[in-house]
Amino acid sequence: VADNVAGIQLHLVSLSGEDFHGMQAGFIGIVDGDFRGAQFGLLNTTEGDFYGMSIGGYNQVSDGNGLFLAGMYQEFSGNFHGFALAPIIISRGEMKGYQIGLFWNSGDSFPLLQIGGWNEAKSAPMQLGFIANLREDQNSGPQVALAFNSSRGSAFFQFSGLSNWARDSTFGQASGFFNRSKKSYLLQVSAGINSTEGLYGIQLAGLANGGGGSLQLAGLFNGGGGMNPLQIAGLGNVAYDHSYLQLAGVWNFSERHSFVQLAGLANLGPNLSGQIETLQQPYVQFSGIFNAAERSPVQIALINRVEKDATIQAGLVNLSAQSNLQLGLFNSGELAPGVRLAFVNHGTGGPLQVGVGNFHTNGASYGVMAGAWNYADRHSGLMIGLFNYANELNGVQIGLINISRQGTF
């Protein structure tokens, strides 16, 4: 135990009440004042400023200036100028130097590159973490980690084995499971999930993408709220604004604008409720089971349904308010004008309807109606079949049984 020490001190346990100048070596060295020189020990603590070199297992100083090597733990409660290496390093003040924490590396502001196991900084232009990187301020430099990256501001690029998170914008994110950013300007790649509020580039995911951009490619699901020129998914695609092409193994949905929808199961076009204006309806809907839209020029599926008008519908069941060509087992709607070919046709319009049964219980039909059984409320033209019936006919009936309650035939 000494107050002011100048020289060389060898000890098991040393306690200096004031400053120390020289070399200190032992198991435990405690200095209440400033230290200038070299310090070697299993546990070294300096309450004041440290100038020189410190090598030990556990090192703790206030302001550190020089070289610091610790086998377990290094802490700077004040400012740090120099170089430090330890499994765990914590700098609580200003840093003008370089430190590497093999397991934990924490500091206020790093001048260029932060390297460590788990990196934590308020400011770091670049971070390379063997485990993870965490950054709090608006530095937008790259982050690379084996586990995950987190930035409360922007990040030019984030690469990790598990996940990336940026509170603001990124130009590129690549991870093994999850990516998240407020805006993504270039690329999000993940084996799991990508998520962003605004995408201006490409999303590639093994499971799902959420956002909107030039291209969304996912093994299961894509969801977009903005511009979605191209969505390709193994399961389903959802677009809440613009979608030019949707390709999915199961289903597609577009709320406002859609051009082409291709799905294994079902396609749902914009505005089935009729409550949204300024819509772009899908030009083509192709699916294995079901298509639905307010308007769609082309629909191909087992079941096709259009609220207003369609140009071509081909499937087992075709339903529309107006259409020009319907091919299926059951067709219903108004031909305006067009051709209807099916096992059973139901609806109005003309000029050509061919089926085993043609039934028009309400409204007017015209042109040629050909089938085994023809039934019309009002028909103008030709009815050809085994049984022809019309409440009102202006034309000709040819068949085994012809019935016309009024009109000419």
Side-chain angles (χ1 to χ4, degrees):
V1 178
D3 288 334
N4 288 311
V5 178
I8 299 175
Q9 186 183 67
L10 303 176
H11 62 274
L12 294 177
V13 178
S14 174
L15 176 61
S16 298
E18 295 184 8
D19 298 338
F20 189 101
H21 298 255
M23 185 186 75
Q24 185 184 63
F27 285 98
I28 300 175
I30 300 174
V31 178
D32 288 340
D34 297 337
F35 188 103
R36 297 177 183 271
Q39 188 180 51
F40 306 91
L42 183 64
L43 186 150
N44 301 314
T45 65
T46 300
E47 296 296 328
D49 297 339
F50 188 102
Y51 300 88
M53 178 178 66
S54 176
I55 300 176
Y58 180 100
N59 297 331
Q60 184 176 13
V61 301
S62 178
D63 289 351
N65 302 272
L67 174 64
F68 300 86
L69 304 176
M72 294 181 294
Y73 179 85
Q74 176 70 56
E75 180 181 353
F76 302 98
S77 58
N79 299 325
F80 166 57
H81 299 175
F83 178 81
L85 174 65
I88 300 174
I89 298 182
I90 299 175
S91 295
R92 305 188 185 280
E94 181 185 16
M95 179 190 304
K96 292 184 178 179
Y98 205 76
Q99 70 180 39
I100 300 175
L102 300 178
F103 296 114
W104 183 283
N105 190 7
S106 176
D108 183 46
S109 177
F110 286 80
L112 182 61
L113 173 65
Q114 185 182 20
I115 300 177
W118 182 295
N119 292 322
E120 186 175 287
K122 289 184 178 180
S123 175
M126 293 184 289
Q127 289 181 308
L128 175 61
F130 308 121
I131 301 173
N133 296 310
L134 287 84
R135 186 170 57 203
E136 296 185 7
D137 72 352
Q138 295 296 321
N139 280 130
S140 58
Q143 293 178 307
V144 179
L146 292 180
F148 69 91
N149 295 307
S150 175
S151 176
R152 291 187 178 274
S154 300
F156 180 79
F157 180 80
Q158 291 180 314
F159 179 84
S160 70
L162 292 179
S163 66
N164 297 309
W165 181 83
R167 187 175 183 179
D168 203 341
S169 60
T170 62
F171 282 89
Q173 289 179 312
S175 71
F177 183 72
F178 179 76
N179 292 315
R180 167 65 183 174
S181 66
K182 184 176 182 179
K183 295 180 180 179
S184 180
Y185 288 100
L186 183 62
L187 178 66
Q188 282 186 318
V189 180
S190 174
I193 300 171
N194 294 313
S195 175
T196 182
E197 295 179 21
L199 178 67
Y200 305 93
I202 299 173
Q203 285 183 316
L204 306 176
L207 295 179
N209 292 310
S214 301
L215 170 64
Q216 288 184 310
L217 175 61
L220 293 181
F221 176 77
N222 290 313
M227 184 70 68
N228 298 276
L230 177 59
Q231 291 181 311
I232 302 175
L235 185 63
N237 295 308
V238 173
Y240 293 102
D241 203 337
H242 292 74
S243 176
Y244 299 126
L245 173 60
Q246 291 181 311
L247 175 61
V250 179
W251 92 94
N252 293 309
F253 170 79
S254 179
E255 187 176 61
R256 291 186 63 86
H257 295 74
S258 179
F259 289 87
V260 179
Q261 292 179 313
L262 307 176
L265 182 63
N267 293 308
L268 301 178
N271 194 31
L272 290 178
S273 64
Q275 297 176 354
I276 304 176
E277 298 179 354
T278 65
L279 300 174
Q280 170 60 57
Q281 300 297 331
Y283 292 121
V284 178
Q285 288 184 311
F286 180 87
S287 71
I289 303 296
F290 181 71
N291 292 318
E294 186 180 55
R295 291 184 174 91
S296 180
V298 179
Q299 287 186 319
I300 301 175
L302 291 180
I303 301 173
N304 297 306
R305 175 173 173 263
V306 170
E307 291 285 335
K308 292 185 178 179
D309 53 81
T311 303
I312 300 173
Q313 288 182 309
L316 294 180
V317 177
N318 299 307
L319 307 173
S320 69
Q322 291 182 338
S323 63
N324 299 107
L325 176 61
Q326 288 182 315
L327 306 173
L329 291 179
F330 178 80
N331 297 320
S332 179
E334 177 186 355
L335 287 176
V339 177
R340 182 178 288 144
L341 305 176
F343 187 82
V344 176
N345 291 312
H346 175 269
T348 59
L352 177 60
Q353 301 180 69
V354 179
V356 175
N358 298 305
F359 302 96
H360 307 292
T361 58
N362 186 25
S365 60
Y366 65 94
V368 178
M369 183 183 299
W373 186 307
N374 296 314
Y375 180 97
D377 182 34
R378 299 190 307 274
H379 184 74
S380 299
L382 175 63
M383 301 177 71
I384 302 174
L386 297 177
F387 177 81
N388 298 311
Y389 177 91
N391 282 327
E392 181 179 337
L393 175 66
N394 293 301
V396 178
Q397 289 179 322
I398 301 175
L400 294 178
I401 302 174
N402 300 307
I403 300 175
S404 176
R405 292 192 174 274
Q406 55 180 323
T408 61
F409 66 93

